[in-house]
Amino acid sequence: MPSEFSPHVSDIAPGRGALRPARSWLHSDAPSRSLNGPWRFRLSPTASVAEDFAADGFVDDGWDSIPVPSHWVLEGDGAYGRPIYTNIQFPFPIDPPHVPDENPTGDYRRNFDVPADWSDAERVVLRFDGVESLFRVWVNGVEIGSASGSRLAHEFDVTSAVRTGDNVVAVRVHQWSAASYVEDQDQWWLPGIFRDVTLIARPAGGIEDVWLRTAFDDGRGRVEAEITADAAAFPVTLRIPELGVEHVWPAPADVAPVDVTGVQPWSAEQPRLYDATVSTAAESIALRVGFRTVEIRGDQFLVNGSRVVFHGVNRHETHPERGRVFDEEHAREDLARMKRFNVNAIRTSHYPPHPRLLDLADELGFWVVLECDLETHGFEKVDWVGNPSDDPAWREACLDRIRRTVERDKNHPSIVIWSLGNESGTGGNLAAMSAWVHARDTGRPVHYEGDYTGEYTDIYSRMYASVPETEQIGADSARSALLNCTPAQSARQRTKPFLLCEYAHAMGNGPGAFDQYEALVRRYPRLHGGFVWEWRDHGILAATPDGTPYYAYGGDFREVVHDGNFVMDGMLLSNDVPTPSLHEYKAVAQPVEFVFDGEKVVVTNLRHSADTSDLRFRWRVEHDGLPVASGDLEIPVVAAGGSQRASLPPIAVAPDAETWLTIDATLAASTPWAAEGHVIATAQLDCSARRPVPAVRTQPQADWRTGDGTLSLGIAEFAGGSLVRLAGRAVTGPRLELFRAPTDNDESPSDGIAESDNSIAGVSSADLWRRDGLDRLTNRRVSVEHTADALRTLDKVSAADSALSVMVESVWSLVDGELELRVEIEPSRGWQTVWPRIGVGFELPDGVAPVDGAQWFGLGPLETYPDSLRAARTGRFSATVHDLSVDYARPQETGHRSELRRLTLTSGSTEVLRIEALPDTRGRRPGFTLSRHTPQQIARAERPFELGASTTSHLIVDAAQHGLGSRTCGPDVWPEFALRPESRTIRLRISAG
């Protein structure tokens, strides 16, 4: 029979039975045993299944084996169900607090041993660090209790149920419960025991909990200790050997602050930690102490008296094979990679991570916004009716979640802000959570984005505010009303530090405009930066029926409702490959700024607390991308926030080549996160002698040759006025290309207030492009003229069922013995939308030697677009066709390189064709894309494996490309980077390889 504290899946209570109060996750020398490993497992389709499995003598020989920690839907190759991805939607009826009877329920069992010497323990505790969703626990047939709060820690007192020697623990886990209504985060639903399970012997005279609160002021540190222990446990000793601290508190009443001199502060840039222990005769607890003071002074967020700028990311716990199961080695490398890309802050979206991650954040150095496991976003669909955030019946559940969040992680110096949760509307329960935090921890402020009017939070926070709106928040002179605020509330919010808790939605190819937000943060001190959404894609490794691997997203597991590839929105691909957007972010967030001023360079240190003594400055000069000189740049040490001027090296300017100076700031010595020489900041200066754009001129009496119905001019062969061969190999083109495989941002509907003009509310740019037929253009040859010195064709390009058109004039000629192509592109009147690109395409069939690579002089090495250029530098680069593209989870526009000067197409090590790109009369240079598929083929594919094999390489030379923006969740392309239909010229000189 169920005991009196057996829960129903619709029970709102956060826990029942022998559930203990929340406390810190501590490194103690008290005896403990990990219960991780293989458990016996049985999955039932409903919650209504007999509880006989919990009996002490139950025989589970016929059960499966499953690892703990794990998610059952990621085990057994689908035998235990499949993952479900939703962003906002609930994958069950909105009927709070009820869930369907079709509720997958996993029963777990395992035996464990209790040593004989544990008989002296005051109590035995069973700890679960993460179970999704509601779970119940039995030990030796005795029901112990239940708990919910999937990403929170729960401890049960099992003293009365355990025995020396062999024991059995049984756990029942329900996938759905009332708690699921407050765990509606944008991520996969992944049930199971997915974090550690530990059996702990609590000694008599031990320490129940410790909190070492620290402060720092001008070399002086303070430790305020909170010791939770019986009076009989005293005396308690605090030791910090490196600081010479050994302080004994004889009794609870004697516990008082300890002042320490000669302290180095902790910051994200200089994460100075001191090993400390807090001990009684029975137990010693090890901690790492960082001294820092967090405060809000006016509208400034300060740590140790200096303003903090958050160059942050939102980080989910996700792995393509393990889901949210923690892997310390992988997590450490993940955080080290963040540091290498100038990320200095983490918002733990939207729940507390595995506690070891915070140890790593303390050690490597991050500002952390620690978020509670709370989100009720699905209630937005019913206009927030019944929202648990404002229903008194849910108050204890909400308070339990914030208590467990703060108590578990309160000792970490990296945590500088507590966050109540995410996208849960607003209401009295959130206000009560905030009040509890303020009473419990006066040393850290409270954040919650949904508190638009600032009734109960200390920081003004928004997500996806546009650049103009963000400026209005930051400017002292602004008087406009803020979102959902009255004028008075707006004025109050402008007295607080402002944080973009989410911005720059990094889904697919994008986002654009990182640098615009960064410029505002530099200009307005109230703006403290923000957190990109998000750090990495959540793809789950899967395979097609023929074994082809791919990273699955929503819908790939036949979910009833899902949100597609919206879960693939990180700056890191699922396989740990950084996207170009992460490189762009690194460049925008670089902590050293170079400003060239004549023969000097001004070096500004943008860091919070570290000077530049750990950096080395290197320079190099290149002529047309070829290095000609290099050396060290002598720059005096620059204090945090300071600047220094230094002389530039002598620069030999080439008369007939571009001359570029590049300066890198590199690590002078290895760190725990990067090797010596790692580049943290770069700047380039164009020192070239100015040269005029070559005039359009032809060579009279061109050497025309005819035969077999073809016409030849230099290395080019034509049939009927159309190109058929170049340098002896089949090539067709140029063909007007206005379409690109839509990015995720291109496919996102406009909100009607998009920054780009001609947008339509609820309609995506990609829909408008397809409406206008840009993906299915047809060609009509208007005329062919063959003169003594040139071949001229005129084509009218348009789409079925459209009167809109583009005239394309192509002129082939010989210039100084070299083949030149000039293309003039002129749109008709009446185009009503932005264009994705203005370019011309060439097809290069494989023949005996496929074009499989490129060498170029221009911007690189990664793809670039008008609003994403900061990571690029001018130089010589090379790549294979495959490496020119990015394997986004959903195939889309990729691979464009801007500001092209020269391009060589290669087949293996053989040069096939050389192309020189000339600027137009306004000095604008084209870009190029080289791919094995056309934009139309890429657009039709939903996943990379659907593209299939190709027998042709496709070169597109673009006069212009539309920007990227962040429209999947945020602003559209800024007008400056929007491509409007316009006349453009492309000039190319082509020679044999």
Side-chain angles (χ1 to χ4, degrees):
M1 293 291 293
S3 69
E4 61 185 22
F5 47 80
S6 295
H8 186 270
V9 289
S10 299
D11 191 0
I12 295 174
R16 297 185 182 276
L19 184 62
R20 306 184 72 240
R23 65 185 184 116
S24 300
W25 193 84
L26 297 170
H27 299 275
S28 167
D29 65 356
S32 66
R33 293 211 160 180
S34 171
L35 298 190
N36 293 352
W39 288 51
R40 307 297 280 178
F41 180 73
R42 176 187 68 184
L43 184 68
S44 303
T46 72
S48 301
V49 59
E51 298 173 6
D52 56 345
F53 81 102
D56 193 5
F58 183 84
V59 178
D60 56 20
D61 292 349
W63 286 24
D64 297 335
S65 177
I66 197 170
V68 168
S70 71
H71 303 281
W72 71 60
V73 292
L74 297 182
E75 301 293 325
D77 195 24
Y80 310 123
R82 287 297 194 180
I84 298 170
Y85 167 61
T86 63
N87 169 27
I88 300 173
Q89 303 178 84
F90 286 119
F92 45 78
I94 305 174
D95 183 24
H98 307 290
V99 293
D101 295 336
E102 293 84 358
N103 187 359
T105 296
D107 291 332
Y108 296 77
R109 285 174 54 91
R110 72 156 287 169
N111 290 80
F112 65 93
D113 183 70
V114 173
D117 58 7
W118 281 27
S119 59
D120 295 333
E122 183 175 68
R123 67 181 63 88
V124 178
V125 171
L126 183 60
R127 181 182 183 96
F128 294 84
D129 281 307
V131 183
E132 183 176 328
S133 152
L134 170 70
F135 68 105
R136 300 166 60 188
V137 181
W138 294 260
V139 172
N140 297 326
V142 177
E143 186 164 9
I144 302 300
S146 65
S148 60
S150 297
R151 272 67 69 175
L152 304 169
H154 298 89
E155 291 184 335
F156 297 91
D157 189 335
V158 297
T159 310
S160 61
V162 296
R163 60 199 175 212
T164 298
D166 186 57
N167 295 259
V168 63
V169 56
V171 182
R172 170 162 287 180
V173 181
H174 302 289
Q175 176 159 12
W176 311 122
S177 70
S180 302
Y181 284 100
V182 293
E183 294 177 0
D184 188 31
Q185 292 96 340
D186 176 8
Q187 63 179 349
W188 296 97
W189 298 85
L190 300 172
I193 305 174
F194 68 94
R195 286 187 186 157
D196 306 298
V197 181
T198 310
L199 192 70
I200 305 168
R202 298 293 310 129
I207 301 170
E208 183 64 20
D209 202 359
V210 175
W211 186 4
L212 298 184
R213 303 187 229 200
T214 65
F216 176 82
D217 182 16
D218 194 24
R220 298 182 301 275
R222 167 169 281 211
V223 179
E224 295 184 12
E226 178 182 287
I227 311 294
T228 305
D230 292 338
F234 284 76
V236 173
T237 302
L238 168 67
R239 293 183 178 89
I240 310 177
E242 195 173 351
L243 295 174
V245 173
E246 183 163 345
H247 197 87
V248 179
W249 294 298
D254 299 316
V255 177
V258 176
D259 292 318
V260 189
T261 58
V263 169
Q264 294 176 327
W266 185 98
S267 73
E269 293 165 0
Q270 296 173 308
R272 185 65 164 92
L273 294 170
Y274 295 91
D275 291 330
T277 58
V278 177
S279 306
T280 69
E283 183 178 16
S284 182
I285 291 171
L287 302 100
R288 293 189 298 178
V289 175
F291 291 88
R292 88 284 183 274
T293 295
V294 178
E295 61 180 324
I296 291 177
R297 194 181 302 162
D299 61 358
Q300 302 286 290
F301 178 86
L302 311 175
V303 174
N304 298 332
S306 296
R307 172 177 175 255
V308 174
V309 174
F310 295 89
H311 290 121
V313 294
N314 283 275
R315 180 193 179 274
H316 270 290
E317 290 199 319
T318 182
H319 185 277
E321 295 175 80
R322 294 184 292 273
R324 283 189 286 278
V325 175
F326 185 72
D327 180 312
E328 183 164 334
E329 181 180 354
H330 187 259
R332 179 182 287 275
E333 174 54 29
D334 228 21
L335 267 59
R337 186 182 292 110
M338 289 182 189
K339 296 284 285 189
R340 293 195 293 271
F341 281 89
N342 293 332
V343 173
N344 71 1
I346 298 169
R347 178 180 177 226
T348 67
S349 54
H350 297 292
Y351 44 82
H354 190 284
R356 274 293 290 159
L357 184 96
L358 299 168
D359 287 342
L360 298 178
D362 294 341
E363 174 190 325
L364 294 174
F366 289 92
W367 310 115
V368 174
V369 177
L370 198 286
E371 196 145 84
C372 182
D373 188 6
L374 177 69
E375 180 165 340
T376 67
H377 205 168
F379 284 90
E380 183 180 53
K381 185 170 186 176
V382 293
D383 199 25
W384 300 105
V385 173
N387 182 17
S389 298
D390 200 33
D391 183 344
W394 289 82
R395 178 157 298 189
E396 180 53 34
C398 293
L399 286 170
D400 180 76
R401 286 172 180 266
I402 195 64
R403 283 194 294 259
R404 292 188 179 278
T405 296
V406 172
E407 296 295 356
R408 193 197 74 170
D409 298 328
K410 56 185 177 284
N411 280 293
H412 291 282
S414 58
I415 298 173
V416 293
I417 297 173
W418 299 114
S419 180
L420 304 179
N422 185 67
E423 293 177 323
S424 297
T426 189
N429 295 340
L430 285 159
M433 293 166 68
S434 178
W436 182 90
V437 177
H438 282 115
R440 182 70 177 117
D441 183 5
T442 59
R444 297 178 177 104
V446 172
H447 163 276
Y448 176 67
E449 185 266 346
D451 180 27
Y452 294 122
T453 59
E455 298 298 323
Y456 48 84
T457 48
D458 307 303
I459 293 168
Y460 183 35
S461 176
R462 288 283 308 284
M463 53 177 67
Y464 308 109
S466 68
V467 170
E469 186 181 9
T470 302
E471 182 166 24
Q472 286 295 303
I473 293 168
D476 287 336
S477 60
R479 295 292 182 270
S480 61
L482 301 176
L483 181 69
N484 294 337
C485 288
T486 66
Q489 291 166 338
S490 300
R492 177 172 65 183
Q493 290 296 65
R494 286 191 174 98
T495 67
K496 299 178 180 179
F498 177 73
L499 202 58
L500 282 162
C501 67
E502 294 179 22
Y503 82 111
H505 195 254
M507 185 174 177
N509 188 349
F514 277 137
D515 52 350
Q516 292 179 285
Y517 286 99
E518 183 69 14
L520 294 180
V521 172
R522 302 269 189 93
R523 191 178 309 146
Y524 302 110
R526 180 181 305 139
L527 308 181
H528 286 73
F531 297 82
V532 175
W533 188 270
E534 63 175 304
W535 170 240
R536 63 158 60 239
D537 284 357
H538 297 224
I540 292 178
L541 187 61
T544 64
D546 68 359
T548 303
Y550 71 102
Y551 292 97
Y553 51 75
D556 286 338
F557 299 111
R558 300 179 182 176
E559 299 101 308
V560 175
V561 296
H562 64 84
D563 286 301
N565 69 317
F566 205 71
V567 77
M568 307 297 236
D569 47 12
M571 294 190 292
L572 197 69
L573 299 179
S574 300
N575 60 354
D576 296 343
V577 173
T579 65
S581 69
L582 185 53
H583 289 268
E584 181 77 0
Y585 186 78
K586 175 186 176 181
V588 170
Q590 63 184 34
V592 177
E593 180 184 57
F594 303 94
V595 176
F596 297 103
D597 183 13
E599 296 180 352
K600 301 283 188 179
V601 61
V602 178
V603 180
T604 301
N605 180 3
L606 301 171
R607 291 161 149 182
H608 170 268
S609 48
D611 62 28
T612 59
S613 59
D614 63 327
L615 302 179
R616 182 182 181 190
F617 296 90
R618 297 278 298 167
W619 64 268
R620 66 183 180 275
V621 173
E622 295 170 330
H623 291 165
D624 276 0
L626 298 175
V628 296
S630 63
D632 288 334
L633 189 65
E634 297 301 323
I635 296 176
V637 173
V638 188
S643 298
Q644 292 280 2
R645 292 172 67 87
S647 297
L648 294 174
I651 300 171
V653 177
D656 56 353
E658 293 187 38
T659 301
W660 286 86
L661 169 69
T662 303
I663 298 177
D664 293 328
T666 68
L667 292 178
S670 295
T671 71
W673 47 269
E676 176 185 349
H678 170 74
V679 177
I680 70 162
T682 297
Q684 275 195 318
L685 177 64
D686 185 357
C687 305
S688 307
R690 298 304 168 203
R691 291 177 291 167
V693 176
V696 178
R697 56 190 179 87
T698 60
Q699 177 174 310
Q701 304 304 315
D703 183 19
W704 290 104
R705 302 182 305 281
T706 59
D708 299 326
T710 63
L711 183 69
S712 298
L713 177 63
I715 64 169
E717 298 179 33
F718 303 88
S722 297
L723 179 69
V724 292
R725 298 182 75 80
L726 277 173
R729 70 174 296 139
V731 178
T732 61
R735 183 179 179 90
L736 180 69
E737 185 60 81
L738 302 179
F739 185 67
R740 72 183 186 192
T743 66
D744 290 310
N745 290 315
D746 294 337
E747 290 283 13
S748 184
S750 169
D751 58 9
I753 55 173
E755 277 70 17
S756 291
D757 54 5
N758 299 325
S759 61
I760 300 174
V763 179
S764 72
S765 292
D767 286 337
L768 296 176
W769 300 339
R770 288 184 286 258
R771 179 201 67 183
D772 290 345
L774 300 189
D775 59 335
R776 48 184 173 82
L777 295 175
T778 60
N779 195 79
R780 179 172 69 83
R781 178 62 48 84
V782 176
S783 64
V784 179
E785 297 179 23
H786 169 210
T787 67
D789 53 16
L791 173 68
R792 175 183 178 272
T793 60
L794 183 64
D795 296 280
K796 186 174 184 179
V797 181
S798 52
D801 197 35
S802 174
L804 302 171
S805 64
V806 181
M807 299 304 296
V808 181
E809 179 189 49
S810 302
V811 178
W812 294 89
S813 61
L814 287 180
V815 177
D816 297 329
E818 199 169 47
L819 183 69
E820 178 168 312
L821 167 65
R822 188 181 85 251
V823 182
E824 301 285 354
I825 301 164
E826 183 177 351
S828 66
R829 294 183 178 182
W831 292 94
Q832 295 296 313
T833 183
V834 295
W835 278 353
R837 73 184 337 140
I838 303 174
V840 292
F842 299 85
E843 291 190 356
L844 300 98
D846 287 350
V848 296
V851 171
D852 56 11
Q855 302 166 0
W856 74 99
F857 176 40
L859 288 188
L862 302 175
E863 63 186 28
T864 50
Y865 293 84
D867 52 357
S868 184
L869 292 167
R870 291 284 292 274
R873 67 181 190 275
T874 301
R876 287 178 181 257
F877 308 98
S878 63
T880 66
V881 169
H882 178 268
D883 290 340
L884 284 168
S885 300
V886 179
D887 289 330
Y888 295 112
R890 186 188 68 80
Q892 57 195 275
E893 163 64 30
T894 178
H896 179 76
R897 267 72 175 174
S898 308
E899 297 290 327
L900 180 65
R901 279 81 161 168
R902 288 187 288 280
L903 171 66
T904 301
L905 303 180
T906 59
S907 180
S909 59
T910 302
E911 295 184 356
V912 175
L913 288 171
R914 295 194 186 103
I915 301 172
E916 181 182 3
L918 303 178
D920 65 13
T921 55
R922 292 171 55 183
R924 298 175 295 187
R925 296 183 182 274
F928 82 96
T929 303
L930 182 64
S931 173
R932 295 292 286 174
H933 299 91
T934 68
Q936 291 76 9
Q937 291 169 337
I938 296 170
R940 286 193 292 268
E942 291 294 323
R943 290 156 191 83
F945 66 82
E946 296 176 11
L947 285 170
S950 171
T951 59
T952 303
S953 291
H954 302 271
L955 172 66
I956 301 176
V957 178
D958 286 315
Q961 273 252 4
H962 186 55
L964 299 174
S966 185
R967 199 198 261 189
T968 51
C969 196
D972 198 2
V973 176
W974 190 247
E976 179 183 351
F977 308 116
L979 179 58
R980 298 165 185 83
E982 62 184 23
S983 299
R984 296 298 290 253
T985 300
I986 295 174
R987 287 180 65 194
L988 307 174
R989 288 185 179 172
I990 306 171
S991 57

